[in-house]
Coordinates of all heavy atoms in Angstrom, one line a residue:
Chain A
V504 N 4.8 16.8 -3.8 CA 4.9 17.3 -5.2 C 4.2 18.6 -5.5 O 4.7 19.4 -6.1 CB 4.4 16.2 -6.2 CG1 5.2 14.9 -6.1 CG2 2.9 15.9 -6.2
G505 N 3.0 18.7 -4.8 CA 2.3 20.0 -4.9 C 3.0 21.2 -4.5 O 3.1 22.2 -5.1
S506 N 3.8 21.0 -3.3 CA 4.6 22.1 -2.9 C 5.7 22.4 -3.8 O 6.1 23.6 -4.0 CB 5.2 21.8 -1.5 OG 4.1 21.4 -0.6
A507 N 6.4 21.4 -4.4 CA 7.5 21.7 -5.3 C 7.0 22.2 -6.6 O 7.7 23.1 -7.2 CB 8.2 20.2 -5.6
I508 N 5.8 21.9 -7.1 CA 5.3 22.4 -8.3 C 5.0 23.9 -8.0 O 5.1 24.8 -8.9 CB 4.1 21.6 -8.8 CG1 4.6 20.3 -9.3 CG2 3.3 22.4 -9.8 CD1 3.4 19.3 -9.6
A509 N 4.4 24.3 -6.8 CA 4.2 25.6 -6.5 C 5.3 26.5 -6.6 O 5.3 27.7 -6.8 CB 3.5 25.7 -5.1
V510 N 6.5 25.9 -6.4 CA 7.7 26.7 -6.5 C 8.2 26.7 -7.9 O 8.8 27.7 -8.4 CB 8.8 26.1 -5.5 CG1 10.3 26.7 -5.7 CG2 8.5 26.1 -4.1
G511 N 8.1 25.6 -8.6 CA 8.7 25.4 -10.0 C 7.9 26.2 -11.0 O 8.6 26.7 -11.9
A512 N 6.6 26.2 -10.9 CA 5.9 26.9 -11.9 C 6.1 28.3 -12.1 O 6.4 28.8 -13.2 CB 4.3 26.7 -11.7
P513 N 6.2 29.1 -11.0 CA 6.6 30.6 -11.2 C 8.0 30.7 -11.9 O 8.2 31.6 -12.6 CB 6.6 31.2 -9.9 CG 5.7 30.2 -9.0 CD 5.8 28.8 -9.6
A514 N 8.8 29.7 -11.5 CA 10.2 29.8 -12.0 C 10.2 29.5 -13.5 O 11.0 30.2 -14.3 CB 11.1 28.8 -11.3
V515 N 9.4 28.6 -14.0 CA 9.4 28.3 -15.4 C 8.7 29.4 -16.1 O 9.0 29.7 -17.3 CB 8.9 26.9 -15.8 CG1 7.3 26.9 -15.7 CG2 9.4 26.3 -17.0
I516 N 7.8 30.0 -15.5 CA 7.1 31.2 -16.2 C 8.0 32.3 -16.3 O 8.1 33.0 -17.3 CB 5.7 31.6 -15.4 CG1 4.7 30.4 -15.6 CG2 5.2 32.9 -15.8 CD1 3.6 30.5 -14.7
D517 N 8.8 32.6 -15.3 CA 9.8 33.6 -15.3 C 10.8 33.3 -16.6 O 11.2 34.2 -17.2 CB 10.7 33.7 -14.1 CG 9.9 34.3 -13.0 OD1 8.8 34.9 -13.2 OD2 10.3 34.2 -11.8
A518 N 11.1 32.1 -16.6 CA 12.1 31.7 -17.7 C 11.4 31.9 -19.1 O 12.1 32.4 -20.0 CB 12.6 30.2 -17.6
L519 N 10.1 31.6 -19.2 CA 9.4 31.9 -20.4 C 9.4 33.4 -20.7 O 9.6 33.8 -21.9 CB 8.0 31.4 -20.3 CG 7.0 31.6 -21.4 CD1 7.4 30.8 -22.7 CD2 5.6 31.3 -21.0
V520 N 9.1 34.1 -19.7 CA 9.0 35.5 -19.9 C 10.3 36.1 -20.4 O 10.4 37.0 -21.3 CB 8.5 36.3 -18.6 CG1 8.8 37.8 -18.6 CG2 7.0 36.0 -18.4
A521 N 11.4 35.6 -19.8 CA 12.8 36.1 -20.2 C 13.0 35.8 -21.7 O 13.6 36.5 -22.4 CB 13.9 35.3 -19.4
V522 N 12.5 34.6 -22.2 CA 12.7 34.3 -23.6 C 11.8 35.2 -24.5 O 12.1 35.7 -25.5 CB 12.2 32.8 -23.8 CG1 12.1 32.5 -25.4 CG2 13.1 31.8 -23.1
A523 N 10.6 35.5 -23.9 CA 9.7 36.3 -24.7 C 10.2 37.7 -24.9 O 10.0 38.4 -25.9 CB 8.2 36.3 -24.1
T524 N 10.8 38.3 -23.8 CA 11.2 39.6 -23.8 C 12.7 39.9 -24.1 O 13.1 41.0 -24.3 CB 10.9 40.3 -22.5 OG1 11.6 39.6 -21.4 CG2 9.4 40.2 -22.1
G525 N 13.4 38.7 -24.3 CA 14.8 38.9 -24.5 C 15.2 39.1 -25.9 O 14.2 39.2 -26.8
P526 N 16.4 39.2 -26.3 CA 16.9 39.4 -27.6 C 16.2 38.4 -28.6 O 16.4 37.1 -28.3 CB 18.3 39.3 -27.6 CG 18.8 39.4 -26.1 CD 17.5 39.0 -25.3
G527 N 15.6 38.8 -29.6 CA 15.0 37.9 -30.6 C 13.7 37.4 -30.1 O 13.1 36.6 -30.9
G528 N 13.3 37.7 -29.0 CA 12.0 37.2 -28.5 C 10.8 37.9 -29.1 O 11.0 39.0 -29.7
L529 N 9.7 37.2 -29.0 CA 8.4 37.7 -29.7 C 8.1 39.1 -29.2 O 7.5 39.9 -29.9 CB 7.3 36.7 -29.4 CG 6.2 36.6 -30.4 CD1 6.6 36.5 -31.9 CD2 5.3 35.4 -30.1
F530 N 8.3 39.3 -27.9 CA 8.0 40.7 -27.4 C 9.2 41.3 -26.7 O 9.2 41.8 -25.6 CB 6.9 40.5 -26.2 CG 5.7 39.7 -26.7 CD1 5.3 38.4 -26.2 CD2 4.9 40.3 -27.7 CE1 4.2 37.9 -26.6 CE2 3.8 39.6 -28.1 CZ 3.4 38.4 -27.5
E531 N 10.2 41.4 -27.5 CA 11.5 41.8 -27.1 C 11.4 43.3 -26.5 O 10.8 44.2 -27.2 CB 12.5 41.9 -28.2 CG 14.0 42.3 -27.8 CD 15.0 42.2 -29.0 OE1 14.7 41.5 -30.0 OE2 16.1 42.8 -28.8
G532 N 11.9 43.4 -25.3 CA 12.0 44.6 -24.6 C 10.7 45.2 -24.1 O 10.6 46.3 -23.5
R533 N 9.6 44.4 -24.2 CA 8.3 44.9 -23.8 C 7.9 44.4 -22.5 O 8.4 43.4 -22.0 CB 7.2 44.6 -24.9 CG 7.5 45.3 -26.2 CD 6.6 44.7 -27.3 NE 5.1 45.1 -27.0 CZ 4.1 44.6 -27.9 NH1 4.4 43.8 -28.9 NH2 3.0 44.9 -27.6
E534 N 6.9 45.1 -21.8 CA 6.3 44.6 -20.5 C 5.4 43.5 -20.8 O 4.5 43.6 -21.7 CB 5.5 45.7 -19.9 CG 6.4 46.8 -19.2 CD 6.9 46.3 -17.8 OE1 6.1 45.8 -17.1 OE2 8.1 46.4 -17.6
V535 N 5.5 42.3 -20.2 CA 4.5 41.2 -20.5 C 4.0 40.6 -19.1 O 4.6 40.8 -18.1 CB 5.2 40.1 -21.3 CG1 5.6 40.6 -22.7 CG2 6.3 39.5 -20.5
A536 N 3.0 39.9 -19.3 CA 2.5 39.1 -18.2 C 2.0 37.7 -18.7 O 1.6 37.6 -19.9 CB 1.3 39.8 -17.6
Y537 N 2.0 36.7 -17.8 CA 1.6 35.4 -18.2 C 0.3 35.1 -17.6 O 0.1 35.3 -16.4 CB 2.7 34.3 -17.7 CG 2.2 32.9 -17.9 CD1 2.7 32.3 -19.1 CD2 1.4 32.2 -17.1 CE1 2.3 30.9 -19.4 CE2 1.0 30.9 -17.3 CZ 1.4 30.3 -18.4 OH 1.2 29.0 -18.7
A538 N -0.6 34.5 -18.4 CA -1.9 34.0 -17.9 C -2.4 33.0 -18.9 O -2.3 33.0 -20.1 CB -2.9 35.1 -17.8
D539 N -3.0 31.9 -18.3 CA -3.8 30.9 -19.1 C -2.9 30.4 -20.2 O -3.4 30.1 -21.3 CB -5.0 31.5 -19.6 CG -6.0 31.9 -18.5 OD1 -5.8 31.4 -17.3 OD2 -6.7 32.8 -18.7
G540 N -1.7 30.1 -20.1 CA -0.8 29.5 -21.1 C -0.4 30.5 -22.2 O 0.2 30.1 -23.1
R541 N -0.6 31.7 -21.9 CA -0.2 32.7 -22.9 C 0.6 33.8 -22.3 O 0.5 34.1 -21.1 CB -1.5 33.4 -23.5 CG -2.5 32.4 -24.3 CD -3.6 33.2 -24.8 NE -3.4 33.9 -26.0 CZ -3.4 33.3 -27.2 NH1 -3.7 32.1 -27.4 NH2 -3.0 34.0 -28.3
V542 N 1.4 34.5 -23.1 CA 2.2 35.7 -22.7 C 1.5 36.9 -23.4 O 1.3 36.9 -24.5 CB 3.6 35.5 -23.2 CG1 4.4 36.8 -22.8 CG2 4.3 34.4 -22.5
F543 N 1.1 37.8 -22.5 CA 0.4 39.1 -22.9 C 1.3 40.2 -22.9 O 2.0 40.5 -21.9 CB -0.8 39.3 -22.0 CG -1.9 38.3 -22.1 CD1 -1.9 37.1 -21.4 CD2 -3.0 38.5 -23.0 CE1 -2.9 36.2 -21.6 CE2 -4.0 37.6 -23.2 CZ -4.0 36.4 -22.4
A544 N 1.4 40.9 -24.1 CA 2.0 42.2 -24.1 C 0.9 43.2 -24.5 O -0.2 42.7 -24.8 CB 3.1 42.3 -25.2
E545 N 1.0 44.5 -24.3 CA 0.0 45.3 -24.5 C -0.5 45.2 -25.9 O 0.3 45.3 -26.9 CB 0.5 46.8 -24.3 CG -0.8 47.8 -24.1 CD -0.3 49.2 -23.9 OE1 0.8 49.4 -23.5 OE2 -1.1 50.1 -24.1
G546 N -1.8 44.9 -26.1 CA -2.4 44.8 -27.4 C -2.0 43.5 -28.2 O -2.3 43.4 -29.3
D547 N -1.4 42.6 -27.5 CA -0.9 41.4 -28.3 C -0.8 40.3 -27.3 O -0.6 40.5 -26.1 CB 0.5 41.8 -28.9 CG 0.8 40.9 -30.1 OD1 0.0 39.9 -30.4 OD2 1.8 41.1 -30.7
S548 N -0.8 39.1 -27.9 CA -0.5 37.9 -27.0 C -0.1 36.7 -27.8 O -0.4 36.7 -29.0 CB -1.7 37.6 -26.1 OG -2.7 36.8 -26.9
A549 N 0.5 35.8 -27.1 CA 0.9 34.5 -27.9 C 1.0 33.4 -26.9 O 1.2 33.6 -25.7 CB 2.3 34.7 -28.5
T550 N 0.7 32.2 -27.4 CA 0.8 31.1 -26.5 C 2.2 30.8 -26.2 O 3.1 31.3 -26.8 CB 0.2 29.7 -27.1 OG1 1.1 29.5 -28.2 CG2 -1.2 29.9 -27.7
F551 N 2.5 30.1 -25.1 CA 3.9 29.9 -24.7 C 4.6 29.1 -25.8 O 5.8 29.3 -26.0 CB 4.1 29.2 -23.3 CG 3.6 27.8 -23.0 CD1 4.2 26.7 -23.7 CD2 2.4 27.6 -22.3 CE1 3.7 25.4 -23.3 CE2 1.9 26.3 -22.1 CZ 2.6 25.2 -22.7
G552 N 3.8 28.2 -26.5 CA 4.4 27.5 -27.7 C 4.8 28.4 -28.7 O 6.0 28.3 -29.3
E553 N 4.0 29.4 -29.0 CA 4.4 30.4 -30.0 C 5.6 31.2 -29.7 O 6.5 31.5 -30.5 CB 3.2 31.3 -30.3 CG 2.0 30.6 -31.0 CD 0.8 31.4 -31.1 OE1 0.7 32.4 -30.2 OE2 -0.2 31.1 -31.8
V554 N 5.7 31.5 -28.4 CA 6.8 32.2 -27.9 C 8.1 31.4 -28.1 O 9.2 31.9 -28.6 CB 6.7 32.6 -26.4 CG1 8.0 33.1 -25.8 CG2 5.5 33.6 -26.2
L555 N 8.1 30.1 -27.7 CA 9.3 29.3 -27.9 C 9.6 29.1 -29.3 O 10.8 29.1 -29.6 CB 9.0 27.9 -27.1 CG 8.7 28.0 -25.6 CD1 8.4 26.6 -25.1 CD2 10.1 28.5 -24.9
R556 N 8.6 28.8 -30.2 CA 8.9 28.6 -31.5 C 9.6 29.9 -32.2 O 10.5 29.7 -33.0 CB 7.6 28.2 -32.3 CG 7.0 26.9 -31.9 CD 6.0 26.4 -32.9 NE 4.9 27.1 -33.1 CZ 3.7 27.0 -32.5 NH1 3.7 26.1 -31.5 NH2 2.7 27.7 -32.7
A557 N 9.0 31.0 -31.8 CA 9.5 32.3 -32.4 C 11.0 32.5 -32.0 O 11.9 33.0 -32.8 CB 8.7 33.5 -32.0
A558 N 11.3 32.0 -30.8 CA 12.7 32.1 -30.3 C 13.6 30.9 -30.7 O 14.8 30.9 -30.4 CB 12.7 32.3 -28.8
G559 N 13.0 30.0 -31.4 CA 13.8 28.8 -31.8 C 14.2 28.0 -30.6 O 15.2 27.3 -30.6
R560 N 13.4 28.0 -29.5 CA 13.7 27.2 -28.4 C 13.0 25.9 -28.3 O 11.8 25.7 -28.7 CB 13.4 28.0 -27.1 CG 14.3 29.3 -27.0 CD 15.6 28.9 -26.5 NE 15.6 28.2 -25.2 CZ 15.7 29.0 -24.0 NH1 16.0 30.2 -24.0 NH2 15.7 28.3 -22.9
D561 N 13.7 24.9 -28.0 CA 13.0 23.5 -27.8 C 12.2 23.4 -26.6 O 11.3 22.6 -26.5 CB 14.1 22.4 -27.8 CG 14.8 22.3 -29.1 OD1 14.3 22.6 -30.1 OD2 15.9 21.7 -29.0
E562 N 12.6 24.2 -25.6 CA 11.9 24.1 -24.3 C 12.3 25.2 -23.4 O 13.4 25.8 -23.6 CB 12.2 22.7 -23.7 CG 13.6 22.5 -23.3 CD 13.9 21.2 -22.6 OE1 13.2 20.2 -22.9 OE2 14.8 21.2 -21.8
V563 N 11.5 25.5 -22.3 CA 12.2 26.1 -21.2 C 11.8 25.3 -20.0 O 10.8 24.6 -19.9 CB 11.6 27.6 -20.9 CG1 12.2 28.6 -21.9 CG2 10.1 27.6 -20.9
T564 N 12.6 25.3 -19.0 CA 12.5 24.4 -17.9 C 13.0 25.0 -16.6 O 13.9 25.9 -16.6 CB 13.3 23.0 -18.3 OG1 13.0 22.0 -17.2 CG2 14.8 23.2 -18.2
A565 N 12.3 24.5 -15.5 CA 12.8 24.9 -14.2 C 12.4 23.8 -13.2 O 11.6 23.0 -13.4 CB 12.0 26.2 -13.7

Side-chain angles (χ1 to χ4, degrees):
Chain A
V504 301
S506 302
I508 290 170
V510 174
V515 80
I516 290 168
D517 285 349
L519 174 72
V520 164
V522 170
T524 58
L529 206 50
F530 305 119
E531 184 174 344
R533 296 170 66 183
E534 283 282 310
V535 300
Y537 176 90
D539 301 334
R541 301 182 77 86
V542 177
F543 291 84
E545 195 178 343
D547 204 355
S548 81
T550 68
F551 66 73
E553 289 166 345
V554 168
L555 294 176
R556 293 200 296 273
R560 293 285 297 264
D561 291 337
E562 61 177 38
V563 286
T564 190

